[in-house]
Amino acid sequence: MGDRGYQTQATAFALDSLQSCGRAVVQLPTGSGKTRVALRVAQTWLRGRNRRVYLLTPSEETVTQTVIAARLLGLRPMIDAGRERASRHAQLVISTYASAWRRHEQWISKSTLLLLDECHHVNFAAPVNADILDRFDYGVGLSATPWSKGCLSYFRKRKFIYELTRAISEGVNSPYEIKGWSQPINGMYQIVYTNRQDQRESLKRIMQACDYAIYSAPRAREVISRFRTGAIKTIVVNRMLTEGFDLPAIKRIWIMRDTRSRIAAMQMAGRALRAYKSRTAELFIASEQTRILLNEALKRAG
Protein backbone atom coordinates (compact mmCIF):
# COMPACT_ATOMS: atom_id res chain seq x y z
CA MET A 1 0.00 0.00 0.00
CA GLY A 2 1.29 3.42 -0.91
CA ASP A 3 1.82 6.35 1.43
CA ARG A 4 -1.67 7.83 1.04
CA GLY A 5 -2.41 11.31 2.31
CA TYR A 6 -5.26 10.39 4.64
CA GLN A 7 -3.08 7.78 6.33
CA THR A 8 -0.40 10.39 6.93
CA GLN A 9 -3.05 12.76 8.34
CA ALA A 10 -4.49 10.05 10.59
CA THR A 11 -1.03 9.11 11.87
CA ALA A 12 -0.11 12.74 12.53
CA PHE A 13 -3.41 13.33 14.36
CA ALA A 14 -2.83 10.29 16.60
CA LEU A 15 0.73 11.31 17.45
CA ASP A 16 -0.29 14.91 18.12
CA SER A 17 -3.07 13.68 20.43
CA LEU A 18 -0.61 11.54 22.36
CA GLN A 19 1.41 14.66 23.06
CA SER A 20 -1.60 16.80 24.02
CA CYS A 21 -3.96 14.47 25.87
CA GLY A 22 -2.51 10.96 25.70
CA ARG A 23 -5.35 9.39 23.69
CA ALA A 24 -7.08 9.45 20.30
CA VAL A 25 -9.34 7.36 18.12
CA VAL A 26 -8.97 7.01 14.35
CA GLN A 27 -12.01 6.12 12.23
CA LEU A 28 -11.18 4.73 8.79
CA PRO A 29 -13.48 2.77 6.46
CA THR A 30 -13.07 -0.96 5.98
CA GLY A 31 -10.03 -1.79 3.86
CA SER A 32 -8.50 1.70 3.97
CA GLY A 33 -5.40 0.83 5.99
CA LYS A 34 -6.10 0.91 9.74
CA THR A 35 -3.33 -1.61 10.42
CA ARG A 36 -0.80 0.45 8.51
CA VAL A 37 -1.76 3.58 10.44
CA ALA A 38 -1.45 1.69 13.73
CA LEU A 39 2.01 0.41 12.80
CA ARG A 40 3.19 3.83 11.63
CA VAL A 41 2.12 5.26 14.99
CA ALA A 42 3.98 2.41 16.70
CA GLN A 43 7.06 2.96 14.56
CA THR A 44 7.24 6.64 15.49
CA TRP A 45 6.52 5.99 19.16
CA LEU A 46 9.33 3.43 19.41
CA ARG A 47 11.90 6.02 18.37
CA GLY A 48 11.60 7.49 21.85
CA ARG A 49 13.85 6.32 24.66
CA ASN A 50 12.81 3.12 26.51
CA ARG A 51 9.38 3.07 24.87
CA ARG A 52 7.30 0.10 23.87
CA VAL A 53 3.96 -0.66 22.22
CA TYR A 54 1.26 -3.13 23.25
CA LEU A 55 -0.96 -3.68 20.20
CA LEU A 56 -4.25 -5.55 20.70
CA THR A 57 -6.36 -7.04 17.93
CA PRO A 58 -9.50 -9.26 17.98
CA SER A 59 -8.28 -12.70 16.91
CA GLU A 60 -5.26 -14.89 16.32
CA GLU A 61 -5.90 -14.51 12.57
CA THR A 62 -5.61 -10.72 12.81
CA VAL A 63 -2.53 -11.11 15.04
CA THR A 64 -0.87 -13.07 12.21
CA GLN A 65 -1.85 -10.46 9.60
CA THR A 66 -0.54 -7.63 11.81
CA VAL A 67 2.77 -9.40 12.44
CA ILE A 68 3.32 -9.82 8.69
CA ALA A 69 2.54 -6.14 8.07
CA ALA A 70 4.86 -5.09 10.90
CA ARG A 71 7.76 -7.09 9.51
CA LEU A 72 7.29 -5.52 6.08
CA LEU A 73 7.83 -2.14 7.77
CA GLY A 74 11.05 -3.36 9.33
CA LEU A 75 9.59 -3.77 12.82
CA ARG A 76 10.32 -6.73 15.09
CA PRO A 77 7.04 -7.75 16.70
CA MET A 78 6.63 -10.46 19.30
CA ILE A 79 3.39 -12.37 19.85
CA ASP A 80 1.87 -12.74 23.30
CA ALA A 81 -1.32 -14.65 22.55
CA GLY A 82 -2.54 -18.20 22.92
CA ARG A 83 0.44 -20.41 23.74
CA GLU A 84 3.02 -17.91 22.54
CA ARG A 85 4.64 -15.69 25.16
CA ALA A 86 6.65 -12.56 24.44
CA SER A 87 9.85 -11.62 26.24
CA ARG A 88 9.42 -9.02 28.98
CA HIS A 89 11.99 -6.94 27.11
CA ALA A 90 10.06 -6.84 23.82
CA GLN A 91 9.45 -3.39 22.35
CA LEU A 92 6.48 -4.27 20.13
CA VAL A 93 4.07 -6.86 21.51
CA ILE A 94 1.01 -8.01 19.54
CA SER A 95 -1.77 -9.80 21.39
CA THR A 96 -5.43 -10.70 21.15
CA TYR A 97 -7.87 -8.94 23.44
CA ALA A 98 -8.64 -12.24 25.17
CA SER A 99 -4.98 -12.85 26.03
CA ALA A 100 -4.33 -9.23 26.92
CA TRP A 101 -6.98 -9.07 29.63
CA ARG A 102 -5.19 -11.97 31.38
CA ARG A 103 -1.58 -10.90 30.77
CA HIS A 104 -1.52 -7.10 30.64
CA GLU A 105 0.28 -6.56 33.96
CA GLN A 106 3.82 -6.96 32.66
CA TRP A 107 3.32 -4.39 29.89
CA ILE A 108 1.99 -1.51 31.99
CA SER A 109 4.44 1.37 32.27
CA LYS A 110 4.51 5.13 31.72
CA SER A 111 6.32 4.60 28.43
CA THR A 112 3.95 1.97 26.95
CA LEU A 113 1.55 2.95 24.17
CA LEU A 114 -1.64 0.87 24.07
CA LEU A 115 -2.85 0.42 20.47
CA LEU A 116 -6.39 -0.95 20.13
CA ASP A 117 -7.14 -2.27 16.65
CA GLU A 118 -10.90 -2.69 16.00
CA CYS A 119 -11.42 -0.85 19.29
CA HIS A 120 -15.22 -1.20 19.12
CA HIS A 121 -14.64 -4.73 20.46
CA VAL A 122 -13.78 -3.35 23.88
CA ASN A 123 -16.64 -3.07 26.34
CA PHE A 124 -15.59 0.32 27.65
CA ALA A 125 -18.48 0.35 30.13
CA ALA A 126 -17.23 -2.80 31.92
CA PRO A 127 -15.46 -1.78 35.16
CA VAL A 128 -12.74 -4.42 34.76
CA ASN A 129 -11.95 -3.24 31.21
CA ALA A 130 -12.00 0.41 32.25
CA ASP A 131 -9.58 -0.31 35.09
CA ILE A 132 -7.10 -2.04 32.78
CA LEU A 133 -7.30 0.63 30.08
CA ASP A 134 -6.91 3.51 32.52
CA ARG A 135 -3.64 2.08 33.79
CA PHE A 136 -2.03 2.92 30.44
CA ASP A 137 -1.14 6.61 30.09
CA TYR A 138 -1.25 6.53 26.28
CA GLY A 139 -3.79 4.92 23.97
CA VAL A 140 -4.81 5.01 20.31
CA GLY A 141 -7.89 3.20 19.01
CA LEU A 142 -8.67 2.34 15.39
CA SER A 143 -11.99 1.20 13.97
CA ALA A 144 -14.47 1.73 11.15
CA THR A 145 -17.19 2.00 13.83
CA PRO A 146 -15.86 3.49 17.12
CA TRP A 147 -19.28 4.90 17.97
CA SER A 148 -20.12 3.79 21.50
CA LYS A 149 -20.30 6.45 24.21
CA GLY A 150 -17.79 4.54 26.29
CA CYS A 151 -15.29 4.40 23.44
CA LEU A 152 -15.52 8.10 22.63
CA SER A 153 -15.35 8.98 26.32
CA TYR A 154 -12.21 6.90 26.85
CA PHE A 155 -10.45 8.60 23.96
CA ARG A 156 -11.56 12.01 25.30
CA LYS A 157 -13.49 12.65 22.08
CA ARG A 158 -10.23 13.17 20.18
CA LYS A 159 -11.34 11.66 16.88
CA PHE A 160 -9.97 11.60 13.33
CA ILE A 161 -12.52 10.63 10.66
CA TYR A 162 -11.76 9.67 7.07
CA GLU A 163 -15.26 9.80 5.60
CA LEU A 164 -16.57 6.90 3.54
CA THR A 165 -17.83 9.25 0.80
CA ARG A 166 -14.35 10.71 0.47
CA ALA A 167 -12.81 7.24 0.45
CA ILE A 168 -15.15 6.22 -2.38
CA SER A 169 -14.42 9.38 -4.38
CA GLU A 170 -10.67 8.79 -3.98
CA GLY A 171 -10.93 5.16 -5.05
CA VAL A 172 -9.99 3.71 -1.66
CA ASN A 173 -13.40 2.10 -1.20
CA SER A 174 -15.90 0.88 -3.74
CA PRO A 175 -19.26 2.52 -4.46
CA TYR A 176 -22.24 0.53 -3.23
CA GLU A 177 -25.94 -0.07 -3.87
CA ILE A 178 -28.48 -1.28 -1.32
CA LYS A 179 -30.70 -3.47 -3.47
CA GLY A 180 -34.24 -4.69 -3.01
CA TRP A 181 -34.28 -8.14 -1.42
CA SER A 182 -33.87 -11.15 -3.65
CA GLN A 183 -32.85 -14.70 -2.79
CA PRO A 184 -29.14 -15.54 -3.12
CA ILE A 185 -28.02 -16.83 -6.48
CA ASN A 186 -24.90 -18.64 -7.62
CA GLY A 187 -21.86 -16.49 -8.23
CA MET A 188 -18.22 -15.90 -7.34
CA TYR A 189 -16.93 -14.31 -4.12
CA GLN A 190 -20.20 -13.84 -2.27
CA ILE A 191 -21.08 -13.90 1.43
CA VAL A 192 -24.47 -14.79 2.88
CA TYR A 193 -25.04 -13.84 6.52
CA THR A 194 -27.67 -15.91 8.35
CA ASN A 195 -28.60 -16.55 11.98
CA ARG A 196 -31.29 -19.21 11.69
CA GLN A 197 -31.22 -22.84 10.67
CA ASP A 198 -34.26 -22.45 8.41
CA GLN A 199 -32.40 -19.75 6.47
CA ARG A 200 -29.48 -22.09 5.90
CA GLU A 201 -31.85 -24.89 4.89
CA SER A 202 -33.48 -22.61 2.32
CA LEU A 203 -30.12 -22.12 0.62
CA LYS A 204 -29.99 -25.82 -0.16
CA ARG A 205 -33.07 -25.36 -2.35
CA ILE A 206 -31.67 -22.29 -4.10
CA MET A 207 -27.95 -22.84 -4.62
CA GLN A 208 -25.94 -25.72 -5.97
CA ALA A 209 -24.31 -27.65 -3.13
CA CYS A 210 -20.89 -27.57 -4.78
CA ASP A 211 -20.94 -23.77 -5.04
CA TYR A 212 -21.19 -22.83 -1.38
CA ALA A 213 -19.96 -23.84 2.07
CA ILE A 214 -21.17 -23.09 5.57
CA TYR A 215 -18.41 -21.57 7.69
CA SER A 216 -17.79 -23.40 10.97
CA ALA A 217 -14.93 -23.29 13.45
CA PRO A 218 -13.67 -26.88 12.86
CA ARG A 219 -13.34 -26.28 9.10
CA ALA A 220 -12.56 -22.57 9.19
CA ARG A 221 -9.07 -22.61 7.66
CA GLU A 222 -10.04 -25.07 4.93
CA VAL A 223 -13.20 -23.17 3.97
CA ILE A 224 -11.49 -19.76 3.96
CA SER A 225 -8.58 -21.08 1.89
CA ARG A 226 -10.90 -22.61 -0.71
CA PHE A 227 -13.04 -19.46 -0.77
CA ARG A 228 -10.00 -17.25 -1.43
CA THR A 229 -8.95 -19.38 -4.40
CA GLY A 230 -12.47 -19.52 -5.83
CA ALA A 231 -12.90 -23.27 -5.25
CA ILE A 232 -15.93 -22.28 -3.15
CA LYS A 233 -17.93 -19.49 -4.75
CA THR A 234 -20.14 -18.47 -1.83
CA ILE A 235 -19.59 -18.68 1.91
CA VAL A 236 -22.44 -18.81 4.43
CA VAL A 237 -21.70 -17.45 7.90
CA ASN A 238 -23.35 -16.27 11.10
CA ARG A 239 -21.15 -13.97 13.20
CA MET A 240 -17.75 -14.63 11.65
CA LEU A 241 -16.09 -12.76 8.78
CA THR A 242 -17.48 -9.37 9.79
CA GLU A 243 -13.96 -7.94 10.15
CA GLY A 244 -10.31 -8.88 9.92
CA PHE A 245 -11.01 -10.64 6.61
CA ASP A 246 -10.29 -8.69 3.45
CA LEU A 247 -10.89 -10.09 0.00
CA PRO A 248 -11.48 -7.15 -2.36
CA ALA A 249 -13.14 -9.34 -5.00
CA ILE A 250 -16.17 -9.78 -2.71
CA LYS A 251 -18.81 -7.52 -4.23
CA ARG A 252 -22.10 -9.19 -3.38
CA ILE A 253 -23.45 -9.55 0.17
CA TRP A 254 -26.77 -11.02 1.29
CA ILE A 255 -27.75 -10.17 4.87
CA MET A 256 -30.47 -12.56 6.04
CA ARG A 257 -29.24 -12.27 9.62
CA ASP A 258 -31.27 -10.10 11.98
CA THR A 259 -29.40 -7.49 14.03
CA ARG A 260 -30.18 -4.53 16.26
CA SER A 261 -26.66 -3.12 15.98
CA ARG A 262 -25.52 -0.42 13.55
CA ILE A 263 -21.97 -1.63 14.09
CA ALA A 264 -22.86 -5.23 13.14
CA ALA A 265 -24.79 -4.07 10.07
CA MET A 266 -21.88 -1.91 8.94
CA GLN A 267 -19.29 -4.64 9.55
CA MET A 268 -21.25 -7.15 7.46
CA ALA A 269 -21.67 -4.71 4.58
CA GLY A 270 -18.04 -3.68 4.94
CA ARG A 271 -16.79 -6.98 3.52
CA ALA A 272 -17.81 -5.71 0.07
CA LEU A 273 -16.61 -2.11 0.38
CA ARG A 274 -12.92 -2.52 -0.42
CA ALA A 275 -12.14 -1.14 -3.89
CA TYR A 276 -11.75 -3.72 -6.65
CA LYS A 277 -11.55 -3.03 -10.41
CA SER A 278 -13.99 -0.09 -10.14
CA ARG A 279 -16.80 -2.51 -9.34
CA THR A 280 -19.84 -1.55 -7.30
CA ALA A 281 -20.78 -3.51 -4.17
CA GLU A 282 -24.30 -4.95 -4.13
CA LEU A 283 -25.93 -5.27 -0.71
CA PHE A 284 -29.14 -7.31 -0.37
CA ILE A 285 -30.92 -6.84 2.99
CA ALA A 286 -33.79 -9.11 4.06
CA SER A 287 -34.92 -7.25 7.19
CA GLU A 288 -36.32 -3.72 7.08
CA GLN A 289 -34.86 -3.06 10.52
CA THR A 290 -31.39 -4.10 9.36
CA ARG A 291 -31.79 -1.96 6.23
CA ILE A 292 -32.62 1.08 8.38
CA LEU A 293 -29.69 0.41 10.71
CA LEU A 294 -27.31 0.00 7.78
CA ASN A 295 -28.44 3.28 6.22
CA GLU A 296 -27.90 5.00 9.58
CA ALA A 297 -24.45 3.43 9.89
CA LEU A 298 -23.44 4.48 6.37
CA LYS A 299 -24.58 8.02 7.11
CA ARG A 300 -22.58 8.07 10.32
CA ALA A 301 -19.51 6.80 8.44
CA GLY A 302 -19.66 9.99 6.37
Side-chain angles (χ1 to χ4, degrees), residues 17-28:
S17 297
L18 292 178
Q19 296 297 320
S20 61
C21 73
R23 296 177 187 170
V25 63
V26 173
Q27 178 179 322
L28 299 175

Side-chain angles (χ1 to χ4, degrees), residues 50 52 105 107-113 135-138:
N50 297 322
R52 58 185 177 183
E105 289 284 352
W107 310 115
I108 296 173
S109 76
K110 291 185 177 180
S111 61
T112 299
L113 167 61
R135 296 172 71 186
F136 290 87
D137 291 336
Y138 301 97

